[in-house]
């Protein structure tokens, strides 16, 4: 499994919520209590997305564009950045704001259901939006969010547009297994958007992601993720690349930004942290799972990485 696939699998979004909004200008919705990752896409018409706490300039979405909001930032989706919010949405709760009667009239369409998971007025000239809210899991989710700025925009392209069209077609259905279909389609949109953004001009991505395209460092990263508990040595990784130990170590460090075993330790600490949070395995069992022969050595490395002991981490995250 390649590194990005491994990270996405371990940080797998859960409790995903997908909604379609169909609204005529002027309109604006403020979302508070946002999840770690939000996907906003314009299907028809234009919209703006602005973060309400990060000092980031608003972005404008054209049809087919996707905005990725990395981090639990309260944000506003509107027809224009200057439109004041007419409602604040926190989870499934909506609070009208502004001039009572005017706000109620303006938001009547948003309050009216047009079908499963679809809200708005449905009249000609309306903007059609999709919004997906994703929960991410553990320290793997933290690593995934480290790939993104607070607000990233992926311009429309054929592959992402095809996935969006499929998600839009399914969001209004209500058939057996529909939630599972929507979760997987949202995953597809997310993966395609992440891949497109990371490969786009000006994207600031982690060094390890840039290293994936390198035949030497990329293959070593794949091996480390495929078998994190193996007792890797630099010599073994170098032999697999057909290079001397010194040449391989220099190549890996120049591409990834840290030595191979340092990277491996960091990844093991990510895996260990999530095992402590998600399972009832003993510290010794977690240590063996991530490649440590005894609990003491694992605990020392874990406290160095996370600032607390494995037991304290488990209590805190539970």
């Amino acid at each position: 499994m390649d590194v990005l696939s491994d990270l996405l699998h371990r940080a797998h979004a859960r409790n995903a919520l997908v909604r379609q909004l169909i609204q005529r200008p002027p309109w604006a919705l403020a979302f508070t209590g946002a999840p770690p990752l939000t996907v906003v896409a314009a299907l028809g018409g234009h919209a703006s997305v602005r973060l309400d706490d990060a000092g980031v300039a608003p972005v404008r979405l054209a049809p087919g564009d996707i905005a990725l909001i990395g981090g639990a930032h309260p944000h506003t989706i509107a027809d224009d950045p200057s439109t004041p919010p007419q409602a604040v949405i926190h989870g499934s709760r909506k609070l009208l704001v502004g001039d009572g009667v005017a706000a109620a009239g303006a938001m009547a369409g948003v309050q009216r259901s047009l079908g499963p998971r679809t809200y708005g007025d449905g009249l000609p000239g309306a903007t059609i939006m999709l919004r997906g809210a994703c929960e991410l899991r553990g320290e793997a989710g933290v690593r995934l969010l480290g790939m993104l700025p607070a607000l990233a925009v992926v311009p429309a392209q054929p592959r992402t547009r095809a996935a969006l069209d499929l998600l839009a077609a399914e969001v209004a259905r209500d058939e057996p297994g529909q939630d599972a279909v929507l979760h997987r389609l949202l995953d597809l949109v997310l993966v395609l958007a992440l891949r497109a953004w990371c490969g786009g001009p000006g994207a600031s991505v982690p060094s390890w992601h840039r290293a994936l395209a390198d035949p030497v460092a990329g293959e070593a990263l794949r091996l480390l993720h495929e078998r994190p508990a193996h007792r890797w040595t630099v010599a073994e990784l170098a032999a697999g690349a057909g290079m001397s130990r010194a040449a391989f170590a220099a190549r890996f460090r120049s591409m990834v930004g840290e030595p191979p075993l340092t990277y491996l330790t960091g990844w093991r600490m990510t895996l260990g942290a999530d095992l402590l949070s998600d399972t009832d395995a003993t510290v010794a069992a977690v240590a063996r799972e991530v490649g440590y022969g005894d609990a003491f050595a694992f605990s020392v490395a874990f406290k160095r990485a996370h600032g607390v002991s494995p037991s304290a981490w488990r209590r805190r995250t539970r």
Side-chain angles (χ1 to χ4, degrees), residues 1-12 137-144 221-230 232 262-292 298 301-302 305-306 310 313-314 317-318:
M1 183 181 294
D2 69 84
V3 178
L4 182 56
S5 295
D6 189 23
L7 190 57
L8 287 163
H9 172 72
R10 296 182 185 277
H12 186 264
R137 185 166 57 200
E139 289 300 290
V142 173
R143 280 206 174 208
L144 180 62
L221 286 168
R222 185 189 67 80
L223 291 172
L224 295 177
H225 277 254
E226 191 173 84
R227 300 167 63 194
H230 180 70
W232 292 105
T262 302
Y263 177 90
L264 175 60
T265 298
W267 180 236
R268 284 172 168 174
M269 293 304 102
T270 294
L271 299 179
D274 288 347
L275 285 170
L276 290 165
S277 299
D278 298 339
T279 75
D280 292 322
T282 65
V283 173
V286 171
R288 290 192 297 271
E289 182 75 14
V290 300
Y292 283 82
F298 170 72
F302 191 92
H306 293 290
W313 177 272
R314 170 170 276 168
T317 56
R318 290 273 176 100

Side-chain angles (χ1 to χ4, degrees), residues 4 12 56 60 107 125 150 153 169 182 188 195 201 208 227 230 274 297 300 302:
L4 182 56
H12 186 264
V56 177
R60 187 165 176 81
M107 295 308 297
V153 176
L182 292 173
L188 175 61
R195 182 192 292 170
W208 64 260
R227 300 167 63 194
H230 180 70
D274 288 347
V300 170
F302 191 92

Side-chain angles (χ1 to χ4, degrees), residues 18 47 65 80 124 152 166 173 182 187 193 213 247 273 277 279 296 313-314:
V18 185
D65 290 352
D80 185 87
L166 187 56
R173 295 179 181 272
L182 292 173
D187 282 349
S277 299
T279 75
F296 178 76
W313 177 272
R314 170 170 276 168

Side-chain angles (χ1 to χ4, degrees), residues 46-87:
H46 292 76
S48 77
V49 179
R50 66 177 184 264
L51 304 187
D52 299 328
D53 69 339
V56 177
V59 298
R60 187 165 176 81
L61 302 182
D65 290 352
I66 299 172
L68 300 174
I69 302 174
H73 297 286
H75 54 276
T76 299
I77 307 173
D79 65 305
D80 185 87
S82 62
T83 303
Q86 295 133 350

Side-chain angles (χ1 to χ4, degrees), residues 183-310:
H183 291 182
R184 283 158 178 77
L185 288 177
L186 183 59
D187 282 349
L188 175 61
V189 169
L190 173 61
V191 173
L192 291 176
L194 273 172
R195 182 192 292 170
W197 186 82
C198 290
S204 178
V205 296
S207 298
W208 64 260
H209 186 275
R210 292 192 296 271
L212 298 181
D214 181 75
V216 173
E219 176 63 12
L221 286 168
R222 185 189 67 80
L223 291 172
L224 295 177
H225 277 254
E226 191 173 84
R227 300 167 63 194
H230 180 70
R231 293 188 176 184
W232 292 105
T233 64
V234 176
E236 184 179 5
L237 292 168
M243 301 176 69
S244 71
R245 185 181 182 280
F248 167 79
R251 174 78 162 265
F252 189 98
R253 183 163 191 161
S254 68
M255 296 300 300
V256 181
E258 58 186 346
L261 298 188
T262 302
Y263 177 90
L264 175 60
T265 298
W267 180 236
R268 284 172 168 174
M269 293 304 102
T270 294
L271 299 179
D274 288 347
L275 285 170
L276 290 165
S277 299
D278 298 339
T279 75
D280 292 322
T282 65
V283 173
V286 171
R288 290 192 297 271
E289 182 75 14
V290 300
Y292 283 82
D294 64 81
F296 178 76
F298 170 72
S299 297
V300 170
F302 191 92
K303 188 168 185 178
R304 186 182 301 120
H306 293 290
V308 296
S309 69

Side-chain angles (χ1 to χ4, degrees), residues 78-140:
D79 65 305
D80 185 87
S82 62
T83 303
Q86 295 133 350
V88 176
I89 300 176
H90 188 98
S92 61
R93 298 176 59 190
K94 300 182 182 71
L95 174 66
L96 299 181
V97 298
D99 180 14
V101 175
M107 295 308 297
V110 171
Q111 298 290 342
R112 184 163 63 90
S113 173
L114 300 176
R117 309 171 194 85
T118 302
Y119 301 89
D121 54 35
L123 298 177
T127 299
I128 305 175
M129 304 286 300
L130 281 177
R131 180 179 181 271
C134 307
E135 295 288 345
L136 298 179
R137 185 166 57 200
E139 289 300 290

